[in-house]
Amino acid sequence: MAKNNKNILPLTGSQAVAEAMRQINPGVVAMYPITPQTPIVETFAKYHSDGLVDTEIIRVESEHSAMSAVLGASASGVRSMTATSSNGLELMHEVVAATPGMRLPVVMPVVNRAVSSPINIHCDHSDSMACRDLGWIQIFSETAQEAYENTLLALRLSEKCLFPSMVMQDGFITSHSVENVEIFSDSKIRKFIGKYTPKNPLLNLDKPLTYGPLELTDYYFETKFQEAEGFECIIDEYTKIGKELSEVTGNNYPLFEGYKIKDAEAILIVLSSSAGTAKEVVEKYRKEGKKVGILKPKLFRPFPYKEIYKAISHAKVIGVMDRSMSRGAFPPLASDIKIAINTHKEGKKIPDVASYVFGLGGRDLFKKDIESIFDSLLNNKYNITKIDYIGVRK
Amino acid sequence: MLQIRIHGRGGQGAKSTSQFIAETAIEKGKEIQAFPEYGPERSGAPVASFVRIDNKKIRTHEAVINPDIVMVLDETLMENVNVTLGLKSNGILMVNTEKTKEEIQKEVLDFDGDIYTIPATKISLEQMGQNKPNTAMLGALCRLTNLIDIEVMKEVVKEKFEKKIGTENTKANLKAIEIGQKSMI
């Protein structure tokens, strides 16, 4: 019952993504429940029952089947979506890996949750990080609003570049928290989305095709090389399509969000909802005259190395907060930042990069934790050769 | 920013209470956040939910540590749960109880802020014939902050409830909101 001029509704991150799916009205949605993703498909199923979408819903017996159904549907030539979390994403891994090789523009909201074992339903980013090298576009969202808009952007981006997309939001923190979400008019969004014309539909009898054929030593490598080349256009297309979406929403779609980083001596880099909490700390520290800032990557795959390097190279020190691990190696985001800096420095002096792991299995991140990281960065109390674990009982 | 923590038992509507508050505030153009504390979800187990209301965009996703208002839907929780934990010293504790303020104060000796009591279970039994104290508590809350308005609250509850529980039961809940507002001591 929105009485305000804008259509601002109290929605959870899950409901916001279901709204995007309603506006997209995909040809096929495959559904299998898993906490904390379930409310996405639950809400979408309600829209389906209410006749708001004419999607064919396929209720499958596992996530492996969900992704298989979506892959098949997408190859046949319709917009196809599913949503998942955690162990569900791991179970569908085989088919997740197969999708980019067929250049299918599937869009999949992922509600980030820790993976077993031990069993844990709460947020961390281990699930989608385990898929980061498979050839999917990955976009992370800080809020319910961003999750909604990123889903719309991802659809166009996937269809333009012919790669599937995952759109992440934090389990429970975003997916189950009610926030103000502005839903833009169906007509404007549907105009932005446009009519879908599949490039090489399987169900075109005039032009018979094979999807996923056998390619051994003769052609497999070429196909993979084409994927690598194909990925190169994504950063530019993301920016272009973001500008188009901007005309509808009035919001911006940068590759990453910088908050008070221009003159910052210490910059923290963190994904998703934690970036919001970190901005509050920056505001407090700035009032105390401390030159700190936050950088929140949005497009994570492909990783905008050069653009991020340019935005952070002036800092004295960078702290990178990862909500996942890579046992025996630096975690994903810290590794990417170290690469960004080292590959673009061109002989210049570069900032130190300190790596922090936090929030595994939904462990709370408090402002005081972020303050203590900034304090260690500002007071030279960090060790760039080690990973520091925040909020853990050692 | 106003921060509210709601204590209840699984099945008592702590989560929907937080959502009603948030939805009422959003109607007045406020920025909101409402979220439950997730654990093993069992009927009867202690649960909590949280609301933030502000005039500007709420960026933090930190847990609510120092609420301004604590609402207790089930007074028997106070035997096991420290309901005033982190509650600001000038904050407000509102309890569904037929006990007096003085009796409640004895249960929270370290708390110096204001205590309000509402016989919300009694009201709900009289109006709905069921122990569903949250609507009476919501009515009472409308007296404690001008960020939420009782008429808007009734609209929000009406819209949510009518499809779910029918016109008669909805009317009883709206009445409980009104009585709750007047019955807070």
Side-chain angles (χ1 to χ4, degrees):
Chain A
M1 43 183 255
K3 295 193 189 74
N4 24 42
N5 292 332
K6 290 178 175 181
N7 185 26
I8 294 174
L9 304 172
L11 298 178
T12 63
S14 310
Q15 290 167 332
V17 163
E19 277 289 311
M21 290 172 71
R22 180 186 62 72
Q23 292 180 321
I24 292 167
N25 192 14
V28 168
V29 169
M31 295 188 174
Y32 194 80
I34 182 166
T35 301
Q37 170 282 127
T38 308
I40 295 179
V41 291
E42 199 181 332
T43 309
F44 187 78
K46 234 176 252 170
Y47 294 155
H48 184 260
S49 301
D50 292 345
L52 300 175
V53 290
D54 51 17
T55 303
E56 182 155 342
I57 287 182
I58 308 180
R59 286 175 293 165
V60 289
E61 73 281 10
S62 77
E63 284 89 353
H64 190 277
S65 304
M67 200 62 227
S68 301
V70 160
L71 178 147
S74 181
S76 81
V78 292
R79 285 181 167 141
S80 309
M81 298 180 77
T82 185
T84 195
S85 288
S86 180
N87 303 327
L89 185 56
E90 306 314 321
L91 181 58
M92 63 168 70
H93 194 91
E94 179 191 359
V95 196
V96 170
T99 308
M102 300 185 207
R103 305 296 294 268
L104 297 172
V106 169
V107 176
M108 176 162 66
V110 172
V111 180
N112 283 127
R113 163 185 158 184
V115 293
S116 293
S117 65
I119 297 177
N120 181 298
I121 60 168
H122 293 284
C123 176
D124 70 38
H125 298 163
S126 313
D127 49 4
S128 54
M129 286 302 173
C131 298
R132 93 192 145 143
D133 297 334
L134 297 182
W136 285 62
I137 297 163
Q138 292 194 325
I139 306 175
F140 282 84
S141 321
E142 178 186 329
T143 59
Q145 184 75 44
E146 281 192 11
Y148 162 64
E149 293 171 35
N150 286 344
T151 307
L152 301 169
L153 199 162
L155 182 87
R156 284 282 310 275
L157 188 57
S158 278
E159 290 175 3
K160 176 73 189 177
C161 302
L162 295 179
F163 283 103
S165 296
M166 288 181 199
V167 179
M168 269 59 77
Q169 61 174 292
D170 280 350
F172 291 108
I173 302 164
T174 311
S175 68
H176 285 61
S177 175
V178 179
E179 298 177 357
N180 305 52
V181 180
E182 182 176 6
I183 300 297
F184 304 100
S185 84
D186 287 1
S187 59
K188 280 184 186 164
I189 292 299
R190 287 190 174 140
K191 198 175 160 210
F192 165 77
I193 294 166
K195 193 173 167 285
Y196 180 50
T197 314
K199 201 159 186 200
N200 294 303
L202 192 57
L203 295 183
N204 178 2
L205 297 179
D206 296 332
K207 190 184 168 194
L209 293 166
T210 302
Y211 270 82
L214 182 73
E215 289 179 3
L216 298 176
T217 50
D218 51 358
Y219 275 115
Y220 182 88
F221 200 178
E222 279 71 28
T223 301
K224 294 298 123 180
F225 179 67
Q226 285 175 3
E227 287 174 35
E229 281 198 313
F231 242 65
E232 281 175 14
C233 74
I234 293 173
I235 289 179
D236 283 349
E237 291 298 339
Y238 173 96
T239 306
K240 276 188 213 160
I241 295 168
K243 276 184 188 144
E244 263 186 67
L245 184 55
S246 202
E247 283 168 22
V248 179
T249 64
N251 297 328
N252 294 319
Y253 305 91
L255 300 163
F256 52 84
E257 182 190 342
Y259 182 71
K260 299 192 193 289
I261 54 174
K262 277 191 185 141
D263 64 338
E265 289 169 11
I267 297 173
L268 257 188
I269 302 183
V270 63
L271 293 165
S272 297
S273 68
S274 311
T277 312
K279 286 177 209 164
E280 299 274 328
V281 175
V282 167
E283 198 177 310
K284 180 185 163 193
Y285 270 35
R286 282 278 171 174
K287 279 180 192 153
E288 295 168 10
K290 294 170 185 163
K291 289 190 170 174
V292 295
I294 293 291
L295 186 138
K296 176 192 73 180
K298 296 180 72 167
L299 183 64
F300 182 70
R301 278 295 175 274
F303 196 80
Y305 291 107
K306 190 176 71 187
E307 293 81 357
I308 288 186
Y309 170 75
K310 279 185 185 162
I312 62 175
S313 60
H314 60 279
K316 279 185 189 153
V317 58
I318 311 289
V320 186
M321 294 173 65
D322 273 273
R323 202 161 194 160
S324 62
M325 298 165 77
S326 178
R327 288 78 164 168
F330 280 105
L333 188 54
S335 300
D336 284 333
I337 296 300
K338 282 172 184 277
I339 293 167
I341 289 174
N342 280 291
T343 48
H344 289 91
K345 62 184 175 187
E346 291 174 345
K348 289 192 221 64
K349 192 179 175 315
I350 54 171
D352 284 341
V353 177
S355 172
Y356 301 89
V357 167
F358 76 101
L360 299 189
R363 177 63 51 86
D364 275 326
L365 175 73
F366 294 105
K367 280 186 220 144
K368 65 175 173 52
D369 299 323
I370 297 165
E371 287 175 12
S372 78
I373 295 175
F374 271 132
D375 291 345
S376 57
L377 296 177
L378 291 168
N379 299 315
N380 292 319
K381 285 182 182 154
Y382 55 84
N383 182 346
I384 60 167
T385 64
K386 286 202 167 143
I387 299 160
D388 203 353
Y389 295 83
I390 302 301
V392 72
R393 292 188 291 266
K394 288 177 183 160
Chain B
M1 178 156 54
L2 179 77
Q3 302 190 99
I4 305 171
R5 184 173 70 215
I6 299 151
H7 293 278
R9 290 190 183 276
Q12 228 175 6
K15 185 183 160 192
S16 50
T17 304
S18 69
Q19 296 201 1
F20 283 139
I21 298 167
E23 293 191 23
T24 304
I26 215 171
E27 288 297 321
K28 281 188 96 182
K30 304 292 173 193
E31 292 286 333
I32 55 106
Q33 252 183 22
F35 51 98
E37 170 189 75
Y38 277 92
E41 290 166 43
R42 290 158 300 161
S43 181
V47 293
S49 63
F50 308 89
V51 190
R52 289 192 170 105
I53 308 174
D54 206 345
N55 290 314
K56 60 177 192 281
K57 195 167 166 53
I58 300 169
R59 294 183 297 199
T60 185
H61 282 94
E62 194 181 35
V64 170
I65 310 163
N66 299 118
D68 303 281
I69 298 176
V70 166
M71 179 192 283
V72 181
L73 293 175
D74 185 331
E75 61 180 315
T76 65
L77 278 171
M78 294 174 70
E79 293 164 20
N80 304 314
V81 178
N82 182 3
V83 295
T84 53
L85 183 72
L87 177 57
K88 287 179 183 163
S89 56
N90 60 349
I92 292 170
L93 174 66
M94 50 188 302
V95 186
N96 166 22
T97 183
E98 291 184 50
K99 289 180 189 166
T100 64
K101 269 186 201 190
E102 291 69 29
E103 285 171 301
I104 295 294
Q105 181 72 67
K106 279 178 196 156
E107 295 181 39
V108 286
L109 287 170
D110 57 342
F111 177 61
D112 304 327
D114 292 335
I115 295 173
Y116 291 90
T117 62
I118 306 97
T121 293
K122 186 167 168 260
I123 295 167
S124 73
L125 285 171
E126 283 168 5
Q127 297 305 316
M128 289 93 83
Q130 278 179 310
N131 181 10
K132 299 269 183 198
N134 63 338
T135 38
M137 294 297 279
L138 283 170
L141 181 70
C142 291
R143 244 172 68 194
L144 297 176
T145 168
N146 56 12
L147 291 168
I148 49 174
D149 179 277
I150 189 160
E151 291 310 317
V152 182
M153 172 73 75
K154 279 158 69 182
E155 282 292 310
V156 169
V157 169
K158 192 178 165 199
E159 188 175 292
K160 285 271 156 177
F161 274 5
E162 257 182 352
K163 266 192 221 159
K164 236 178 172 179
I165 60 173
T167 316
E168 282 308 303
N169 283 327
T170 303
K171 266 187 192 162
N173 273 286
L174 297 182
K175 189 88 187 146
I177 292 178
E178 287 170 12
I179 300 173
Q181 189 197 31
K182 287 172 194 144
S183 309
M184 185 171 67
I185 303 167

